[in-house]
Amino acid sequence: MSETGTLFAALRQSSDEAVVDMLERMVRDAPDHALNKMNALDLAGTAGIDEDRVIAALLNAVGLGMFEMTWNVMCPSCAGVLSANKSLKTLDRAHYHCAFCAAGYETTLDNLVEVTFTVSPRVRKIAAHNPDELSAAEYYRQIFWSSAIDLPDDLEKLLDEVTLEIVDLPAGERAILSLQVPQGTLIMFDPVTHAAQFLEVSGEETSERQNLSVIFNRVQVPVDTVTLRPGPLRLALDNRTDGRALPAVWVANPALDDLLKRRKSVLTATRLLTNQTFRDIYRTDTLAIGQRLKILSLTFLFSDLKDSTELYERVGDLTAFDLVNEHFRLLQEIIASERGAIVKTIGDAVMATFETPDRAIAAAIRMREAMSDLGAERQHQSLRLKMGIHEGSCLAVTLNGQQDYFGQTVNIASRVQGLAASRSIVVTESVVAHARALLETSGLKPTPRRVALSGIADKVSVYEIS
């Protein structure tokens, strides 16, 4: 058996067979660009396979060295990749700037960082492994743009509609372009160095040649705007870097707007951090010590077994230990199936995260039912969970050697759980607001009340789902 065959056989031991079959077919038959910056959610949708099964298989494949994982900081406006990182540890900037859009963005894991997968050269060599050999159109497709943009197969034809000129400029080389610039806005942009120059072309047409020089040297400078008149332009381009440059003159027209609006859902960093398979594999090697990355919205669920100490007293250590372990197993199974992940356990308590509040509530309802079923099965009706849920912003950090979360949202979620009575789920107002449809479908009517929480100045509105 070949090395590739051996690797796929190993992958089948840990991953869904349908997903492995799909990946094996892709490695064998797919065009090169389909194996670069693979979008897990798009793959799942196209194949009709559960997203989490696809994500899990790709993560396991990374562990086997079959694929490589990249954390791309992407521009929300143009979907260009502003920074490609093999690990979250190298996301060390509070803000990123997109020269193409002349816009800056605060670094958040919700909508600025996507996770993609690329086949390893040991499995199959593809053109993107040598980006300097890609054509200009394929460089934009495979290197510059993120997996969030839905690019057509005939990308080169589409690019012709939005570019006046594009040049492949080797290291140390100069080029002079003679252009007829039309009225409107033009963008001179290089996707390799991310250098840009805006051209505002207006006024009466001129027959006199206008001149503009642009130097590429990897020094990030503020993007400015040059005013020109319609007519001839002599554009001098000087590549002073040690690699190629691909400067192009883009026309800001409806075709460009349509191109940049073609979007797909992506696997965000926040979604991946709340994936149980990811946490199991990368529990201690996600963020650097002292690193803090912002998440705008994450949902936290805290659970605790009520009267677990009395349970040990009543049924004995061995029986209680077995029940508590089975409780942890069931909770992890339910949390993972609702696209959540257990961050840690503290005694008999669980701290879990979910990308959205509705997933957390769905998990809590199922967890409560599972504990009732387990108690009835083992003839211990005292297995009752107290649960609290809150949603909000937080920081992803490393605490006690593992990836964790910090902030007031975490504190409130923990304190809300302390308000829960036996078998009740207490949630905050923001959670209810995001999950009304689920609650109505489930026939649940949360009971509101105002409470004081330790460390919180004002009273908080909470809702009990009993």
Side-chain angles (χ1 to χ4, degrees), residues 73 82-83 91-98 103-108 112 293-294:
V73 180
L82 309 180
S83 173
L91 265 74
D92 54 2
R93 291 157 57 184
H95 293 82
Y96 283 85
H97 184 82
C98 177
Y105 306 95
E106 182 185 18
T107 305
T108 62
L112 211 68
L293 293 174
K294 187 173 182 179

Side-chain angles (χ1 to χ4, degrees), residues 233-249:
L233 170 67
R234 181 181 184 272
L235 180 60
L237 305 173
D238 187 358
N239 181 6
R240 297 183 184 177
T241 73
D242 57 0
R244 78 194 296 209
L246 291 169
V249 180

Side-chain angles (χ1 to χ4, degrees), residues 203-242:
E204 292 186 13
E205 186 169 350
T206 181
S207 59
E208 292 185 18
R209 188 179 70 187
Q210 304 165 98
N211 295 285
L212 179 65
S213 296
V214 179
I215 297 173
F216 306 104
N217 56 13
R218 297 192 186 278
V219 176
Q220 296 297 314
V221 297
V223 179
D224 64 358
T225 301
V226 173
T227 301
L228 300 171
R229 290 167 62 184
L233 170 67
R234 181 181 184 272
L235 180 60
L237 305 173
D238 187 358
N239 181 6
R240 297 183 184 177
T241 73
D242 57 0

Side-chain angles (χ1 to χ4, degrees), residues 165-184:
E165 189 67 76
I166 190 166
V167 182
D168 192 333
L169 193 59
E173 296 288 320
R174 299 180 77 247
I176 296 176
L177 306 181
S178 295
L179 306 173
Q180 280 291 127
V181 292
Q183 188 150 333

Side-chain angles (χ1 to χ4, degrees), residues 358 361-362 365 369 432 434-446 465:
D358 56 334
I361 288 182
I365 294 169
E369 293 171 352
V432 169
H434 283 93
R436 290 194 187 279
L438 172 65
L439 293 169
E440 290 173 3
T441 302
S442 304
L444 297 171
K445 294 182 179 180
I465 304 172

